[in-house]
Amino acid sequence: MVTTGQIVGMALAAIIPVGLIIMLEVAIHKNIKKKGLFSCFVYGMLGYCWQIMIYAFVNGWLGSVMAQCDWFKAGFGHIVYMMINAIVYALFVMMAAVWCIYLANMRVRDFDRGVPIGVGYGAAYVFWSYLLTYGAAFVYSIQMKAGSFSGSAELKEKLLALSVENMYLFIADMIIFLLIMTGTMVLVSHFFTKGQRIKMILVPIISQYVIHFLDAFLPYMLKDNDVLSSVILHIVTGTMAVYSLWLVYGYLKSGRLVILPTKSKDSSEE
């Protein structure tokens, strides 16, 4: 029988990230009193949707092509494959970010639009990740708890094997990604309105390349130590998330974007 802890964990895996999304949206509408903010949120969601769908096809094709070459299957060749995969993913995120920002600023350039775009992009990621990871499992678990489950024995075993620890790790991952993408879109929007196109492109490419590459590289190199691999990855992504939170919180409270604390006068926007 599925435990109450598993059901609560799956419920919290949806409630906590969605709660953060609502909190960010409330803060945005409270501090940025402008029209079109919800449209920007939708642009962000659409940007993630088309990006992930196209990337899925490209990644599948790329994987099938490289699978024909034994060099990419082990050793340094496999690391090169990870690097190529990570840069392709980062390029798609960059294209989605620029598309969202450009679409939101077609009529009037407004730096403020980057904040809801980032929340919308992160929200789409959270919804999609939850559906893929725990959506069906949560429904089946409720049925099993109520005594109306009619699935196969194999499915039942998978449900019983669900780890509560992984559910709370999932919550942390969703929060981290949501904050990182919000901060990323804020910077992309800032550099877009300033006309600094190179910086605008490099921000999402570098951040997503690092995350995507480490997500594949660390488990490969630390095969016998999954805990250490996870800790290193979360230290890196957690640091990015904390910076993003500081960036967004500071902007919403003061109305000025401070990119580097030591250079607040040179890197702020009124």
Side-chain angles (χ1 to χ4, degrees), residues 47-48 50-52 54-56 58-59 62 81-99 121 177 181 184-185 188 199-214 240:
Y48 175 78
W50 72 253
Q51 173 260 319
I52 198 64
I54 298 177
Y55 168 74
V58 173
N59 184 50
L62 187 66
Y81 167 73
M82 295 177 193
M83 296 171 66
I84 294 173
N85 186 275
I87 193 63
V88 170
Y89 178 82
L91 287 171
F92 273 103
V93 174
M94 179 273 294
M95 288 187 287
V98 173
W99 178 83
Y121 191 98
F177 185 87
M181 285 313 304
T184 298
M185 290 298 186
V188 172
K199 291 182 179 179
M200 175 188 72
I201 291 173
L202 287 179
V203 167
I205 289 179
I206 293 174
S207 62
Q208 292 304 308
Y209 175 82
V210 169
I211 294 171
H212 203 72
F213 175 69
L214 289 180
M240 291 182 180

Side-chain angles (χ1 to χ4, degrees), residues 11 18 59-60 70 110 116 124 136-137 151 171 215 231 240 246 249 261 263:
V18 170
N59 184 50
D70 293 336
D110 189 350
I171 295 172
D215 190 39
V231 168
M240 291 182 180
W246 170 81
Y249 179 81
K263 299 181 180 180

Side-chain angles (χ1 to χ4, degrees), residues 81-238:
Y81 167 73
M82 295 177 193
M83 296 171 66
I84 294 173
N85 186 275
I87 193 63
V88 170
Y89 178 82
L91 287 171
F92 273 103
V93 174
M94 179 273 294
M95 288 187 287
V98 173
W99 178 83
C100 293
I101 298 298
Y102 177 78
L103 198 64
N105 290 275
M106 285 183 66
R107 295 182 180 179
V108 180
R109 288 196 174 190
D110 189 350
F111 161 74
D112 292 330
R113 297 176 183 272
V115 188
I117 288 174
V119 177
Y121 191 98
Y125 175 85
V126 168
F127 296 152
W128 182 243
S129 298
Y130 185 83
L131 286 175
L132 289 179
T133 309
Y134 294 118
F138 183 66
V139 174
Y140 289 136
S141 297
I142 295 295
Q143 292 178 349
M144 187 180 295
K145 200 71 174 176
S148 58
F149 177 73
S150 58
S152 64
E154 182 180 358
L155 177 59
K156 184 177 180 179
E157 289 180 5
K158 289 182 179 179
L159 294 173
L160 294 176
L162 288 173
S163 169
V164 177
E165 290 78 9
N166 286 342
M167 295 172 192
Y168 292 110
L169 190 60
F170 175 87
I171 295 172
D173 289 339
M174 296 301 101
I175 293 173
I176 287 172
F177 185 87
L178 181 60
L179 293 175
I180 289 175
M181 285 313 304
T182 303
T184 298
M185 290 298 186
V186 167
L187 290 175
V188 172
S189 180
H190 170 72
F191 292 132
F192 176 82
T193 55
K194 291 291 186 180
Q196 299 174 331
R197 304 301 171 86
I198 301 300
K199 291 182 179 179
M200 175 188 72
I201 291 173
L202 287 179
V203 167
I205 289 179
I206 293 174
S207 62
Q208 292 304 308
Y209 175 82
V210 169
I211 294 171
H212 203 72
F213 175 69
L214 289 180
D215 190 39
F217 177 74
L218 289 174
Y220 178 74
M221 296 301 294
L222 301 172
K223 296 177 182 178
D224 299 326
N225 200 332
D226 294 337
V227 174
L228 180 60
S229 170
S230 179
V231 168
I232 295 173
L233 178 63
H234 283 87
I235 287 175
V236 175
T237 57

